[in-house]
Amino acid sequence: MAQLKKLLFGLIGASMLAPAANAAEEVNVYSYRQEFLVKPLFDAFTKETGIKVNVVFSDKGLIERVQAEGDNSPADLIFTVDIGKLNDAVDAGVTQPVTSPTLEKNIPANFRHPDGLWYGMTTRARIIYASKDRVKPGEITSYEDLADPKWKGRLCTRSGKHVYNVALIASMIAHHGKDEAEAWLSKVKDNLARKPQGNDRAQVKAIKEGECDIAVGNHYYYGKMLHDEKQKPWADSVYLVFPNQENRGTHVNISGVSMTKSAPNKANALKLMEFLSGAGQTLYAEQNFEYPVNPTVEWLPEVKSWGEFKSDTLSLAEVAELRKEAIMMVDRVGYND
């Protein structure tokens, strides 16, 4: 086996060093992101570099697949939609550190792993949707306000254990400490209009239908609803609140990428990561109404029209470390019961 690995390594190394015209110019991606969101990016990369991108799409099990494939995994990169999945990949031991002056220049430190085990590619804000008819502008301005008794029976959210909410709760632990964050979450639960259920868009629909007055969701769903004939009335019934503009800023999460430990096309994988952090940023962000992680790249005009905001600079690596505590906290307060 050792001889076989040595031979394979030698062949891979030879292919990377060979002239481009003769090399197997490809990179293999396992993607939790949906095909329609990332295929245009990969097509643009192939057009610019000539490197083919082979993709396996799935909404679950890809990290476990890389783990099971071990050293023989063909995957070079794992694309995910949340810091939680990136952290899971690191914990599973399937990633390798990547050092790149280009990535470090393009991606702010709080949106990349301190040792290069993952890099953010886009950011998404966890915002508050508020009823135009029943919530006055300025009536709610922070995540802390979600715990105010005046919202009793007026708040809708999805499951407290969904990765988006887990990251938000983890950020509250980071800012306030465990005890204060737990007291906050317990009061938020007391304000729920119904048992947590559905996705982020289902919460906005509930506002439209009068079931609740405020909801928590990711910002890009607003764009998705505006461009969906059936869902546009839901979006038209709300306005967006970017919380905590008077202090630390709005919590943001990332979609991101990790290089696998076994990456057989390491050089091409790095080229794809660098392309997406630079020339590919605008295209990457506009596919899903997200924000470019590269601060030098302009926002999509439509997204910009929803309002500019200050984002929380808390390191997502710290958020990732607190996810387990956040999940246990959800259980302790019975948030989903």
Side-chain angles (χ1 to χ4, degrees), residues 146-223:
L146 293 170
D148 190 312
K150 74 179 181 181
W151 300 113
K152 191 172 183 62
R154 301 172 67 187
L155 168 66
C156 285
T157 77
R158 67 194 308 169
S159 167
K161 287 190 176 179
H162 188 273
V163 290
Y164 300 154
N165 282 338
V166 168
L168 173 60
I169 295 166
S171 78
M172 293 295 289
I173 297 171
H175 285 297
H176 295 292
K178 188 172 73 174
D179 291 344
E180 191 174 332
E182 185 160 334
W184 167 80
L185 187 62
S186 180
K187 291 176 182 176
V188 172
K189 172 191 162 48
D190 289 343
N191 287 340
L192 291 174
R194 62 182 186 179
K195 185 176 179 179
Q197 58 192 269
N199 56 27
D200 280 0
R201 276 180 279 193
Q203 315 313 315
V204 181
K205 178 174 182 281
I207 292 176
K208 166 64 178 173
E209 294 175 346
E211 196 167 358
C212 44
D213 295 338
I214 56 174
V216 177
N218 283 355
H219 80 278
Y220 51 80
Y221 289 113
Y222 186 63

Side-chain angles (χ1 to χ4, degrees), residues 270-288:
L270 179 58
K271 288 179 182 176
L272 178 55
M273 293 172 73
E274 291 178 341
F275 171 80
L276 294 177
S277 75
Q281 271 285 285
T282 299
L283 185 59
Y284 202 133
E286 69 185 22
Q287 293 301 314
N288 198 36

Side-chain angles (χ1 to χ4, degrees), residues 46-66:
T46 299
K47 184 177 180 180
E48 180 165 309
T49 65
I51 299 170
K52 182 181 179 184
V53 183
N54 307 306
V55 192
V56 173
F57 296 100
S58 181
D59 62 357
K60 57 184 177 182
L62 292 177
I63 294 171
E64 292 78 5
R65 179 170 170 173
V66 175

Side-chain angles (χ1 to χ4, degrees), residues 126-130 135-148 150-151 168 172 184 214-216 239-251 309-310:
R126 195 89 182 130
I127 64 169
I128 296 170
Y129 289 93
V135 181
K136 296 176 182 176
E139 199 172 352
I140 183 164
T141 62
S142 71
Y143 301 113
E144 286 77 2
D145 286 346
L146 293 170
D148 190 312
K150 74 179 181 181
W151 300 113
L168 173 60
M172 293 295 289
W184 167 80
I214 56 174
V216 177
Y239 65 92
L240 312 186
V241 177
F242 293 91
N244 296 81
Q245 293 307 287
E246 299 302 316
N247 41 67
R248 65 182 181 272
T250 297
H251 168 69
F309 66 97
K310 176 174 69 175

Side-chain angles (χ1 to χ4, degrees), residues 27-30 62 66 69 72-78 94 259-265:
V27 56
N28 302 318
V29 171
Y30 283 8
L62 292 177
V66 175
E69 291 168 340
N72 296 319
S73 176
D76 295 298
L77 298 171
I78 301 172
V94 300
M259 186 179 291
T260 68
K261 183 185 291 183
S262 59
N265 304 291

Side-chain angles (χ1 to χ4, degrees), residues 16 20 39 90 117 123 324 330 336:
M16 290 167 61
K39 188 174 185 306
V90 172
L117 293 173
T123 64
K324 185 176 179 181
V330 170
N336 290 338

